[in-house]
Amino acid sequence: MPATTTRPAVLADRVAAADWPALAGELDSLGCALTPPLLTPADCRALSGLYDEPGHFRSTVDMARHRFGSGRYRYFAEPLPEPVQALREAFYPHLLRIARDWAARLGRPAPWPDTLADWLAMCHEAGQSKSAQILLRYGPGDWNALHRDLFGELVFPLQVVIGLDTQGTDYTGGEFLLVEQRPRAQSRGTSTVLPQGRGLVFTTRDRPVRSARGWSAGPVRHGVSAVRSGRRHSLGLVFHDA
């Protein structure tokens, strides 16, 4: 059975149709931004159903065992399922413009080439050759500690998580959390409900924050609040390999 009912070209069109200037503005102010709907409910069910098919994955992580929280997630193996690959390729050029803008503000190098294939080739040459695309499953009481998805020296500064279930129907709790450490001030938290089929773009490591001296990097971590009932699935798209 196919992983989704929607063709890759349609997924790419949906990503391209998002209001990217508005998304970039939200990323600048909050460090995260919701896309319009990308996947149908049938697509979401098909993707979450892959969790029970071990052949799609290279490894499974028990978060409690590693003190990452509670619950499990699985890293997809190569080749990626068609919709996962299509979404990753569709997002990259739009996120690349934001990444380069952020790097310029922070006075950092912008090593990311024009295509995802060329960027991944750089990752592989640097020893980062494992897929970092994630399918996550949370049950009652499961949660994800605040963290960053950094797997080596090469890092893409933005990533995407897509909700595959509906809060209030399939599960309760389980909000996506983003916590920004502010200089000489208390940290700021942002909580987002992931609507089914929509993506949340968020910063991987930090984001530009305007200060009296220009721009500085605001460190950011992300996680998931405790699921109170039901089962929550999400798809994580990371744009560097591990």
Side-chain angles (χ1 to χ4, degrees):
M1 142 174 146
T4 67
T5 58
T6 301
R7 292 181 292 109
V10 175
L11 296 177
D13 288 344
R14 290 174 184 167
V15 172
D19 186 343
W20 282 101
L23 291 176
E26 286 191 49
L27 285 161
D28 278 344
S29 61
L30 294 175
C32 60
L34 274 171
T35 73
L38 304 173
L39 298 173
T40 67
D43 292 335
C44 293
R45 288 191 295 272
L47 280 168
S48 62
L50 295 180
Y51 192 94
D52 295 315
E53 300 178 18
H56 292 287
F57 304 96
R58 67 173 179 84
S59 67
T60 299
V61 176
D62 184 326
M63 287 189 276
R65 177 183 176 189
H66 298 282
R67 303 185 71 181
F68 295 163
S70 177
R72 291 185 176 183
Y73 58 85
R74 290 184 150 177
Y75 285 110
F76 280 103
E78 297 282 359
L80 298 172
E82 190 174 64
V84 178
Q85 180 69 19
L87 286 166
R88 200 180 186 209
E89 291 178 352
F91 268 107
Y92 182 80
H94 303 284
L95 300 182
L96 179 62
R97 287 191 285 272
I98 300 170
R100 287 173 172 171
D101 176 58
W102 282 12
R105 287 190 238 173
L106 292 171
R108 291 175 172 173
W112 315 289
D114 290 341
T115 69
L116 178 62
D118 286 344
W119 167 238
L120 294 179
M122 290 174 59
C123 289
H124 296 174
E125 289 172 8
Q128 295 175 217
S129 58
K130 296 179 181 178
S131 165
Q133 313 317 300
I134 311 170
L135 188 59
L136 304 101
R137 171 180 284 178
Y138 300 86
D142 289 343
W143 56 284
N144 197 344
L146 295 173
H147 66 285
R148 295 168 173 157
D149 294 318
L150 308 177
F151 308 113
E153 292 297 319
L154 297 185
V155 175
F156 194 80
L158 294 155
Q159 59 194 88
V160 181
V161 61
I162 300 175
L164 301 180
D165 299 300
T166 301
Q167 193 196 50
T169 302
D170 299 311
Y171 69 95
T172 60
E175 294 84 3
F176 182 90
L177 304 175
L178 201 70
V179 176
E180 178 182 313
Q181 181 181 332
R182 299 185 300 160
R184 299 174 298 282
Q186 298 291 332
S187 297
R188 181 182 72 170
T190 301
S191 172
T192 305
V193 172
L194 287 183
Q196 186 183 49
R198 293 177 66 179
L200 183 74
V201 183
F202 63 98
T203 178
T204 300
R205 178 174 55 191
D206 51 29
R207 72 179 187 88
V209 178
R210 188 180 291 278
S211 66
R213 298 180 180 179
W215 294 96
S216 61
V220 177
R221 294 181 296 164
H222 66 277
V224 175
S225 70
V227 171
R228 297 179 179 272
S229 65
R231 182 176 280 180
R232 176 192 187 275
H233 296 87
S234 58
L235 170 67
L237 302 176
V238 180
F239 295 87
H240 48 267
D241 280 350

